[in-house]
Amino acid sequence: MKRWILSLIILSVSSLAHAIDIQSDTIYPKVELDTTMGKIIVELDRKRAPITVDNFLTYVVKGHYDNTLFHRVIPEFVVQGGGLNPKLEEKPFGEPIINESGNGLSNGLGTIAMAREDNPHSATAQFYFNVGDNKRLDPSKRRWGYAVFGEVVEGMEILEAMSLVETQINTKLGWPDFPVNDIILKKATLLPR
């Protein structure tokens, strides 16, 4: 009886691990972001940002980003998402991660990076795309930067179109730069190896 229970526990744990396979052995995994404006594919860099990539992929595989809003759009700067559902409710998120902004990747046009608060080690689920050359978001000798962990490899024209949508102050949240018409990330998918 004990062996049967132990076997059942081992099977359950291995099934759970399989269910959240983040391709730990893939150095440059790719994720497809299917939005209401079109599809974007990003290639992530686990070699330079292993903690950040694993964090992002865990959210992807668990479905956290599905049916979320891009809630901050500033032309020639950033398009940000990953935290709100269409009802303008913040989605639950996990523990903050260590800032990997000193990894040699720069906040250049078409890169993806982690959003964070003033605390440099406060990134959780929200991410942004650089839609301009934002090297001022890179680290310096005096301050932490924002951790870049990949780049757009397909769909840059979709991202550029997103960056040009009309925005306003969202009265419910009091947030500026909020798209007038929702841009929804319908589904984020870790692509097969």
Side-chain angles (χ1 to χ4, degrees):
M1 181 71 165
K2 288 181 182 179
R3 284 187 181 170
W4 181 82
I5 292 173
L6 183 60
S7 297
L8 185 60
I9 290 170
I10 290 170
L11 181 62
S12 297
V13 169
S14 67
S15 295
L16 179 62
H18 180 70
I20 58 167
D21 177 17
I22 59 170
Q23 296 181 11
S24 297
D25 57 343
T26 304
I27 296 174
Y28 301 106
K30 291 183 180 176
V31 173
E32 179 184 82
L33 304 171
D34 185 10
T35 79
T36 50
M37 293 184 71
K39 292 183 180 180
I40 299 168
I41 296 178
V42 293
E43 182 178 80
L44 310 179
D45 190 336
R46 187 177 263 128
K47 185 175 184 179
R48 292 195 176 186
I51 295 167
T52 309
V53 169
D54 286 356
N55 177 69
F56 181 75
L57 289 178
T58 299
Y59 284 112
V60 167
V61 172
K62 288 184 173 182
H64 175 88
Y65 296 126
D66 299 352
N67 199 34
T68 57
L69 295 173
F70 284 96
H71 64 271
R72 183 177 181 223
V73 174
I74 305 173
E76 299 180 13
F77 184 50
V78 297
V79 172
Q80 183 174 330
L84 295 177
N85 68 26
K87 294 179 180 178
L88 305 182
E89 300 163 335
E90 191 167 10
K91 294 194 75 169
F93 51 85
E95 292 295 314
I97 59 171
I98 292 174
N99 187 321
E100 293 182 302
S101 64
N103 62 18
L105 298 173
S106 181
N107 281 273
L109 177 65
T111 57
I112 184 171
M114 291 306 294
R116 62 172 174 80
E117 296 173 358
D118 289 340
N119 176 345
H121 307 292
S122 59
T124 54
Q126 290 191 30
F127 62 90
Y128 66 90
F129 289 104
N130 285 291
V131 290
D133 186 10
N134 296 322
K135 289 187 175 24
R136 67 184 184 273
L137 300 178
D138 293 345
S140 73
K141 291 179 181 178
R142 296 183 179 182
R143 63 173 165 69
W144 288 88
Y146 291 77
V148 173
F149 62 99
E151 66 183 335
V152 174
V153 292
E154 288 181 40
M156 192 61 197
E157 69 283 359
I158 304 300
L159 187 55
E160 288 170 355
M162 282 182 182
S163 74
L164 299 175
V165 300
E166 184 181 354
T167 61
Q168 64 186 353
I169 294 175
N170 182 285
T171 54
K172 180 177 179 182
L173 301 171
W175 292 359
D177 310 310
F178 208 97
V180 171
N181 298 309
D182 288 350
I183 305 172
I184 297 174
L185 173 47
K186 299 186 290 186
K187 181 147 184 65
T189 305
L190 175 57
L191 297 176
R193 295 176 174 94

